[in-house]
Amino acid sequence: MASDDPMVAALLREREGYVGRGMDDRVAQVDEQLRLRGVKPPADDKPTEPTSRSTPPKGRRARTTEQA
């Protein structure tokens, strides 16, 4: 859902981050702000696979602890 209103767009990005981290109380707060601006909050799109910080991003190699 895109918006021409920069505040609504920022709230939607903020909400997406909270959903990804499982911060339901913050999601509810952002939803309230969206409703006050006349926007229906999107359905919760929980990530199907949690992202692990221990795996390097695609196309990158993990650092090695060995020194040459």
Side-chain angles (χ1 to χ4, degrees), residues 16-27 46-47:
E16 185 178 319
Y18 291 147
V19 168
R21 289 180 292 217
M23 300 174 74
D24 297 333
D25 57 332
R26 297 291 182 135
V27 171
K46 301 258 181 190

Side-chain angles (χ1 to χ4, degrees), residues 35-46:
R35 280 188 217 98
L36 289 173
R37 287 166 175 77
V39 177
K40 181 182 175 200
D44 286 344
D45 297 329
K46 301 258 181 190

